[in-house]
Amino acid sequence: MARIVMKFGGTSMAGIERIRNVAALVQREVNAGNEVAVVVSAMAGETDRLVNFCREASSLYDPAEYDVVVASGEQVTSGLLAITLQAMGVNARSWLGWQLPIRTTDRHASARIETIDTDKLIAAMQSGQVAVIPGFQGMTEESRITTLGRGGSDTSAVAVAAAVKADRCDIYTDVDGVYTTDPRIVPRARKLQKVTYEEMLELASVGAKVLQTRSVGLAMKEGVRIQVLSSFDAPTDNELPGTLIVGDDEIEDNEMERQRITGIALDRNEAKITLTDVPDKPGGVASIFGPLADSNINVDVIVQNIAHETGSTDVTFTVPGAELARAIDTLEKSKDTIGYAELKHDTKICKVSIVGVGMRSHPGVAAAMFQALADRGINIQAIATSEIKVSVLIQEEYAELAVRVLHTTYGLDAPESVEA
Ligand code: ADP
Ligand code: ASP
Ligand code: MG
């Protein structure tokens, strides 16, 4: 007997037929004698629909009320899955975020889980009842509903798995594992059997949507064993149908050495902002990013140009596209303190990143990326690097081309015969 957490994403929960399929997968684990908690997403497209309502109501919406609206999608699917399981004769009930409760910070729209009360949950699981938990939602100290940021159900699942000390956290989605890049962009992407927490963290943080970044960070910290697998493939007795996220020590050295690059990610959701003629003096940059941080806006790639002779400089950076309106509003309010001349913005950009621990031991990895993009006439607008990652900002129209070219450049394409 094992204690497991199963998480099902939006595509897996989209409609009653698919929920029945999910219920059958849950039943299989129950019949195998396991204690099961299930974390569910809203139906595919539902959260987008709810977000759009908020935007339509006001472009500068109150994030606390946004959370009330967008958390509702998961409430629906958790109830529907519990009903479906019951109809199949499986003992199940839903536990909403506020009922457990799952306590979070009060940073609405991107709250962090602080604690999960497990008494009721573990008691229910031990009594043989399946606990169905809506992902993505929690509650503040003041009993206000919060959400964990887009894709947050992955984090709910890992947090529940850590809290109940689950043996496994299985993330069921619409692809059968983590690939070298998004298989919808590159059909010749290869499925990875194992990825290290570190690489998965980096891949997720630069846009590989398959796992939310925070879920990977949390799994790494708490030692949660994550497996990513498909809810659409018929279950097999294969012990490793998907991709395992593992510690460094579980990957053979020679496996790591084999590839310079493990994966390539694309993020289309960034927007670029340039402030021109910012005074080039101590505190100049702080006066830009301080107010953005106070507004809870994450800034990613930052480029500060060489100062003009006039003693001023242009500063370019990216923010999540969804935060652009608020970022502009914040920067306009701080215009006098920052002292810039003009604010320009561009949403027709994307960020392409290469990730791999092998980068540490192979020089020339970044150079190969820049050359491959140059050969296709793709201009690089900004660059950001870490020890195991290189990201470039390019024009959005070249997004897919860039990913394909880089996938080939680093020898990641599956052999022709494997191509679907
Ligand atoms: P869910 O609704 O199950 O949470 P998501 O849409 O959030 O699913 O994530 C799964 C999607 O992630 C896939 O359909 C795929 O298009 C995308 N994806 C991006 N990068 C990768 C990758 N490296 N490996 C697998 N899937 C990826
Ligand atoms: N429904 C939420 C979203 O679409 C959370 C999730 O699916 O993980 O972002
Ligand atoms: Mg997701």
Side-chain angles (χ1 to χ4, degrees):
M1 191 204 74
R3 180 175 289 173
I4 61 173
V5 173
M6 308 170 80
K7 181 259 169 177
F8 293 92
T11 315
S12 312
M13 297 299 292
I16 301 301
E17 260 326 295
R18 290 188 183 175
I19 291 178
R20 285 208 179 99
N21 174 52
V22 164
L25 292 171
V26 174
Q27 187 178 37
R28 189 169 173 265
E29 296 292 358
V30 172
N31 289 348
N34 295 319
E35 287 178 10
V36 183
V38 187
V39 174
V40 295
S41 287
M43 295 193 195
E46 179 62 9
T47 310
D48 285 341
R49 196 176 75 94
L50 297 169
V51 169
N52 282 334
F53 280 140
C54 295
R55 288 205 185 121
E56 242 183 82
S58 164
S59 63
L60 295 174
Y61 47 76
D62 171 6
E65 297 305 343
Y66 161 98
D67 278 347
V68 172
V69 177
V70 302
S72 65
E74 273 74 8
Q75 173 161 340
V76 172
T77 47
S78 56
L80 287 173
L81 179 59
I83 292 174
T84 311
L85 285 165
Q86 289 166 4
M88 290 165 64
V90 178
N91 183 6
R93 74 153 274 191
S94 63
W95 293 93
L96 301 183
W98 59 270
Q99 289 172 325
L100 285 171
I102 296 178
R103 292 220 185 264
T104 72
T105 59
D106 60 4
R107 187 166 166 174
H108 286 282
S110 57
R112 275 175 189 274
I113 295 179
E114 289 186 321
T115 56
I116 299 183
D117 255 330
T118 53
D119 298 355
K120 289 180 271 184
L121 190 57
I122 292 179
M125 290 168 80
Q126 282 176 336
S127 75
Q129 189 177 55
V130 174
V132 185
I133 301 166
F136 189 46
Q137 58 174 249
M139 187 181 90
T140 67
E141 201 67 64
E142 283 75 41
S143 304
R144 299 215 65 180
I145 291 188
T146 50
T147 62
L148 310 180
R150 296 306 304 270
S153 298
D154 297 329
T155 303
S156 308
V158 172
V160 169
V164 303
K165 302 197 170 35
D167 300 292
R168 268 168 31 218
C169 180
D170 291 343
I171 307 272
Y172 286 85
T173 181
D174 55 4
V175 281
D176 63 352
V178 178
Y179 280 71
T180 46
T181 192
D182 189 338
R184 299 187 200 288
I185 299 177
V186 181
R188 284 177 67 186
R190 270 194 293 209
K191 188 167 104 181
L192 300 162
Q193 293 261 299
K194 294 178 185 172
V195 191
T196 63
Y197 286 113
E198 196 187 1
E199 285 172 314
M200 194 62 236
L201 192 61
E202 200 80 60
L203 274 172
S205 74
V206 292
K209 187 170 151 211
V210 61
L211 286 176
Q212 198 203 30
T213 312
R214 284 209 200 137
S215 70
V216 189
L218 191 60
M220 183 155 126
K221 184 165 146 265
E222 303 285 339
V224 174
R225 282 189 84 74
I226 299 187
Q227 182 175 197
V228 176
L229 67 176
S230 166
S231 58
F232 297 105
D233 291 347
T236 62
D237 289 327
N238 182 349
E239 267 187 25
L240 257 186
T243 299
L244 263 188
I245 319 295
V246 298
D248 250 356
D249 49 332
E250 288 185 66
I251 294 204
E252 310 264 320
D253 265 357
N254 54 1
E255 270 182 83
M256 273 208 274
E257 291 291 324
R258 210 173 46 211
Q259 299 291 353
R260 286 173 296 169
I261 294 301
T262 304
I264 298 173
L266 170 64
D267 187 350
R268 298 174 194 271
N269 298 321
E270 302 256 312
K272 185 176 82 169
I273 295 179
T274 299
L275 299 180
T276 64
D277 283 323
V278 177
D280 185 29
K281 57 167 200 229
V285 172
S287 70
I288 301 174
F289 298 114
L292 290 172
D294 292 342
S295 303
N296 283 339
I297 296 169
N298 276 330
V299 174
D300 187 25
V301 181
I302 302 175
V303 186
Q304 180 179 350
N305 292 326
I306 302 288
H308 307 305
E309 276 172 11
T310 54
S312 65
T313 179
D314 295 345
V315 180
T316 296
F317 51 91
T318 60
V319 296
E323 308 275 24
L324 181 63
R326 284 201 311 123
I328 292 175
D329 183 61
T330 303
L331 292 166
E332 281 175 350
K333 284 186 182 139
S334 309
K335 184 165 188 208
D336 291 343
T337 341
I338 304 170
Y340 61 88
E342 209 188 333
L343 185 161
K344 301 179 188 165
H345 63 90
D346 185 357
T347 51
K348 297 205 169 357
I349 54 128
C350 67
K351 185 173 71 181
V352 178
S353 309
I354 55 171
V355 171
V357 288
M359 218 180 264
R360 290 185 181 131
S361 46
H362 290 88
V365 170
M369 177 187 206
F370 305 151
Q371 190 58 52
L373 297 175
D375 290 346
R376 295 299 176 115
I378 301 173
N379 188 38
I380 298 172
Q381 303 182 12
I383 302 168
T385 63
S386 80
E387 210 190 350
I388 63 164
K389 166 201 90 178
V390 183
S391 298
V392 294
L393 283 191
I394 60 170
Q395 240 176 301
E396 191 176 28
E397 63 184 287
Y398 296 119
E400 302 206 346
L401 174 65
V403 172
R404 277 196 211 102
V405 164
L406 294 173
H407 201 262
T408 307
T409 300
Y410 294 106
L412 298 175
D413 293 342
E416 212 65 71
S417 55
V418 181
E419 199 175 348

